[in-house]
Amino acid sequence: MKQRGHRFVRFADDFVIFVKSKRASERVLQSITRFIEKHLKLTVNQEKSKVGSPTRLKFLGCLITTVNGVCRYRPSNEAKAKFIRTLKRLTKRKRAGTFDEIVKEINSRTRGWVNYFGTGFIKTFVTKVEQWLHHRIRQLILKRWKNPRTKISRLMRLGLNMDSAKRIGYSRKKYWRLSKTPEVHWVLTTKRLYRWNVVSLRNLAESAYLRY
C-alpha cells in the first residue's frame, strides 16, 4: 500500500484505505482482498469490507467529521448507545454491591470510554450523559434507603429540614421522579456526588481533549 501511495490507518486486523474516488476504492478493495487471501492465506470478511465515504463508514466505533475545515472524529451512535446501556446496567436499583463498589465500577467504565473517545467531539454528549447518570445515582441511593424512616433520617443527616425530608420519605412518587425533586437535588448535589468519588465526565473529557 505504501508503494502504491495509498493513505491508510490500521489497528490490529482492522484497517481503512483512503483514495480519491469511489472507482479507485472499488479497484483497491478488489486488489487488496486478492493479495490478502492469495499471498497471506487469510480470509477477508466480505460483510465488513465496504467502500464508502469516510464520514459515513465506522472504524473502531468512530466516524470522521469535518468542522471548520479540520477533520476530527466522533463516536458513532452505536458506541454512544452501548455506553449508555452499560451505565444503565451498573446503576440498576436492585443490583448488588456496596455504593463504593458501584462507584468504582462506574468510574472505571467512564474513564475507559472517555479516554478512548475523548479527543473527538463528545462535549455535548458527555454533558447530557453526566446529568442523566447523576439522576440514576440519586435514584439508586434513594432506593437503598428503602423505608420512609430511613429516608427521612438520612436526608436530615445530610442537612434537609424535617418537613422536606418527610415530603420525600412519605412520597408515593417513583424513585426516578423523586431523584429530580428540588429537595433531593439540594441534598444530593453534584458536588456531594464528587466528594463521594463519582468522577466528573466533563473533567475527564476536558483532560482527554487537552492531551490531543
Side-chain angles (χ1 to χ4, degrees):
M1 286 191 284
K2 286 182 179 179
Q3 289 175 352
R4 293 185 181 188
H6 296 322
R7 294 184 178 184
F8 66 95
V9 60
R10 180 178 74 87
F11 183 83
D13 60 346
D14 294 315
F15 63 95
V16 180
I17 306 169
F18 299 97
V19 292
K20 293 183 178 180
S21 67
K22 183 177 180 181
R23 185 176 180 182
S25 62
E26 290 171 345
R27 185 176 64 251
V28 170
L29 177 60
Q30 290 179 1
S31 63
I32 292 296
T33 299
R34 188 164 54 247
F35 175 82
I36 289 173
E37 295 189 333
K38 183 177 179 180
H39 296 282
L40 301 183
K41 308 301 181 183
L42 299 171
T43 302
V44 174
N45 189 322
Q46 298 296 334
E47 292 183 2
K48 292 184 178 180
S49 301
K50 299 177 182 178
V51 168
S53 167
T55 59
R56 295 183 181 180
L57 289 177
K58 294 188 295 291
F59 180 58
L60 304 176
C62 301
L63 290 167
I64 294 176
T65 186
T66 304
V67 177
N68 298 326
V70 178
C71 284
R72 295 286 297 279
Y73 73 88
R74 60 182 175 84
S76 66
N77 290 335
E78 291 83 353
K80 292 177 181 178
K82 184 177 179 181
F83 180 50
I84 291 172
R85 285 198 302 271
T86 298
L87 294 179
K88 196 171 185 178
R89 175 177 57 80
L90 293 177
T91 54
K92 277 186 176 180
R93 291 177 303 177
K94 296 181 180 180
R95 62 154 297 172
T98 65
F99 181 75
D100 287 342
E101 290 171 343
I102 294 169
V103 168
K104 284 181 180 179
E105 285 188 64
I106 293 170
N107 291 343
S108 176
R109 295 306 180 100
T110 54
R111 281 195 182 101
W113 196 90
V114 172
N115 284 337
Y116 185 82
F117 292 107
T119 53
F121 289 104
I122 64 169
K123 186 177 179 181
T124 301
F125 172 71
V126 160
T127 300
K128 291 180 180 179
V129 169
E130 183 168 49
Q131 292 172 350
W132 169 83
L133 177 61
H134 288 175
H135 282 309
R136 295 280 300 180
I137 294 173
R138 291 184 183 103
Q139 175 185 239
L140 178 69
I141 292 170
L142 289 171
K143 172 65 176 177
R144 292 186 158 224
W145 287 345
K146 293 184 178 179
N147 64 65
R149 288 186 178 180
T150 303
K151 288 192 188 79
I152 294 167
S153 172
R154 295 293 179 89
L155 289 169
M156 290 179 65
R157 194 182 303 172
L158 293 173
L160 200 62
N161 62 64
M162 183 177 290
D163 289 339
S164 298
K166 284 183 177 179
R167 248 193 328 270
I168 299 300
Y170 294 122
S171 175
R172 291 190 174 185
K173 292 179 181 178
K174 300 292 184 181
Y175 288 105
W176 181 250
R177 288 186 63 192
L178 279 179
S179 72
K180 295 183 177 183
T181 57
E183 294 88 348
V184 172
H185 271 257
W186 190 86
V187 172
L188 301 178
T189 63
T190 298
K191 288 184 178 179
R192 177 159 272 151
L193 295 181
Y194 291 159
R195 287 203 299 271
W196 290 346
N197 298 321
V198 176
V199 171
S200 168
L201 271 71
R202 282 176 291 183
N203 288 347
L204 286 175
E206 287 173 6
S207 296
Y209 188 83
L210 290 173
R211 292 196 301 271
Y212 178 70

